[in-house]
Amino acid sequence: MLRFVITLLLWVSVSTGHAAENFAACPQFFANGKPPVLKLHPTDRALCYDSFAILHSSQSKTPVYVAEKLNRAVMAEPPQQRSDHFFEEARLREAERATLDDYKGSGYDRGHMAPAGDMRTAEAMAQSFSLANMVPQAPEHNRGAWAKSVETPTRKYASRATGDVFVITGPVFVPNIAQSPSIGAGRVHVPKYLFKLVYDQSKNRAWAYWHLNDDATRGSKPISYGELVRRTGIEFLPGMSPGE
């Protein structure tokens, strides 16, 4: 009961600065229990789920990032049947969250950041369809290059890894959130790029996929961890210096 109360409080309150205290209920999704270091907006929210954690932005009405922990044991569990039941995240204030109507007729997919294909329990599968886990994604990119050359290879790598693989996925808005295009009456902002960081803790090795959010995007060579930090300004693995 106490853990539930603590988790509930963390869902609705987050401070500016380092996010560690805000993810106290779900540190397992971060390498060494340390969330990324970045400057937080006062209304950014830390959300803990069964199989992933989200730092959510009320400005973009999308994740800032979504964190997962994958490994051979997790990937050995049978995949769940997709629920395809998208829902508005009731733990966020109405003014801070995306709605189903925002995406309706927009021409964009509701693109998972923590993929449904990673979920290995019915609860986790259902939770992955929260709009807090979505960004407006070009449909051919979502179902094509992103699914085939980013999400599937990441799962395959985790299924062969000897230890834990930490994955952080998120959007990048250019030149910034306010000047990015948006969809719907609620103004859900459309990212210019998407990234997925993969960190193999046992090998201290990391790389990142970086894709233009466009139907014409094809698979490309991953970038280094250092390059991802340079492009985003976020220290995703604080205190660590992973190799490529």
Side-chain angles (χ1 to χ4, degrees):
M1 181 63 180
L2 178 60
R3 183 175 183 275
F4 172 78
V5 172
I6 292 173
T7 302
L8 184 61
L9 289 172
L10 289 168
W11 280 337
V12 298
S13 177
V14 24
S15 61
T16 302
H18 194 287
E21 65 275 17
N22 305 308
F23 288 109
C26 54
Q28 68 271 23
F29 300 122
F30 305 97
N32 295 334
K34 296 180 179 180
V37 174
L38 70 160
K39 185 176 181 180
L40 301 180
H41 187 272
T43 57
D44 288 346
R45 308 292 177 193
L47 302 170
C48 293
Y49 297 82
D50 285 5
S51 294
F52 55 95
I54 295 175
L55 181 64
H56 184 271
S57 168
S58 67
Q59 296 175 289
S60 64
K61 299 187 178 178
T62 71
V64 177
Y65 62 74
V66 180
E68 304 173 79
K69 182 177 75 173
L70 305 179
N71 52 45
R72 186 179 297 180
V74 170
M75 293 292 96
E77 294 294 322
Q80 293 291 309
Q81 183 175 354
R82 281 177 64 99
S83 69
D84 282 325
H85 179 63
F86 294 90
F87 64 94
E88 298 167 15
E89 184 52 74
R91 292 175 293 168
L92 297 170
R93 298 185 183 101
E94 287 188 15
E96 298 177 356
R97 69 190 188 217
T99 68
L100 296 170
D101 283 344
D102 287 328
Y103 281 90
K104 192 176 297 183
S106 69
Y108 287 93
D109 277 4
R110 295 163 291 196
H112 283 69
M113 295 290 89
D118 290 358
M119 303 302 137
R120 291 299 186 267
T121 68
E123 293 81 2
M125 174 62 77
Q127 291 170 3
S128 78
F129 283 85
S130 168
L131 292 186
N133 184 39
M134 307 294 158
V135 302
Q137 188 170 2
E140 295 302 320
H141 178 238
N142 180 33
R143 306 166 204 177
W146 187 253
K148 296 174 183 177
S149 67
V150 176
E151 293 178 337
T152 296
T154 299
R155 279 191 288 274
K156 287 183 178 179
Y157 184 89
S159 70
R160 300 191 301 266
T162 57
D164 291 330
V165 176
F166 293 90
V167 180
I168 301 177
T169 309
V172 177
F173 302 93
V174 177
N176 52 49
I177 293 172
Q179 297 181 62
S180 296
S182 63
I183 60 171
R187 295 183 55 79
V188 180
H189 287 270
V190 180
K192 181 75 170 180
Y193 300 98
L194 299 176
F195 68 85
K196 186 178 289 289
L197 169 66
V198 183
Y199 175 56
D200 184 334
Q201 189 171 39
S202 64
K203 295 183 177 180
N204 193 34
R205 177 174 174 250
W207 61 93
Y209 298 97
W210 180 274
H211 276 205
L212 182 67
N213 182 20
D214 187 273
D215 282 333
T217 296
R218 299 293 179 264
S220 59
K221 183 180 178 181
I223 62 174
S224 68
Y225 173 69
E227 180 63 16
L228 179 66
V229 172
R230 187 189 70 78
R231 293 184 186 186
T232 62
I234 300 174
E235 189 65 60
F236 293 97
L237 302 169
M240 287 165 270
S241 299
E244 297 180 27

